[in-house]
Amino acid sequence: MALFLLIFAVCLLIIGGMVAILLLSRTPRYRTEAEDLLALFDRALEGTVQETEWQTLVNYPIRHDDALEGIRRRAQRLMDEHGRPWQAAQGGKLFTREGCAELAALREHLARHQARRQSR
């Protein structure tokens, strides 16, 4: 009986510890910042970004900054209107010429926004 109680107590301690760890730990969260979007836009303009990288960053909602969320939505719309994922898979650019021009303007807008934010 003593052996049973000892094994039961050890198992209860291990299971209780695991439950406590799971309750106290937080799930990891990815937070998209302006620098991440600037780097993505630069690589897209150079033609070195893959469609999966673009979709991973642009399709993930940004809840901590409304201005960045607006830029993300504009980038998402840009992909819908001017995206060419079939050419990016073959080593080409992800966007048409018009799309690259709009992406460059969006990148400049984001860079100005980031400069204003850092100067405060």
Side-chain angles (χ1 to χ4, degrees), residues 5-79:
L5 291 176
L6 178 66
I7 292 174
F8 181 74
V10 169
C11 289
L12 190 64
L13 182 67
I14 291 173
I15 291 173
M18 291 300 294
V19 168
I21 288 172
L22 290 174
L23 287 176
L24 296 176
S25 66
R26 297 179 63 193
T27 58
R29 289 185 168 70
Y30 179 73
R31 207 173 155 152
T32 304
E33 298 294 338
E35 294 83 18
D36 300 324
L37 288 176
L38 284 171
L40 179 72
F41 293 168
D42 287 338
R43 290 198 345 259
L45 289 170
E46 294 168 1
T48 59
V49 71
Q50 297 295 321
E51 181 198 6
T52 53
E53 296 173 70
W54 177 269
Q55 297 293 353
T56 300
L57 273 179
V58 171
N59 288 339
Y60 192 80
I62 300 172
R63 293 186 175 97
H64 65 278
D65 190 346
D66 291 334
L68 281 180
E69 175 63 15
I71 291 171
R72 182 198 69 82
R73 286 185 182 192
R74 285 175 58 191
Q76 196 173 33
R77 180 192 53 81
L78 189 66
M79 182 64 175

Side-chain angles (χ1 to χ4, degrees), residues 66-99:
D66 291 334
L68 281 180
E69 175 63 15
I71 291 171
R72 182 198 69 82
R73 286 185 182 192
R74 285 175 58 191
Q76 196 173 33
R77 180 192 53 81
L78 189 66
M79 182 64 175
D80 292 341
E81 292 176 3
H82 300 286
R84 303 183 307 188
W86 60 90
Q87 281 196 339
Q90 298 171 357
K93 286 198 170 195
L94 189 60
F95 294 101
T96 62
R97 286 190 180 140
E98 299 89 23

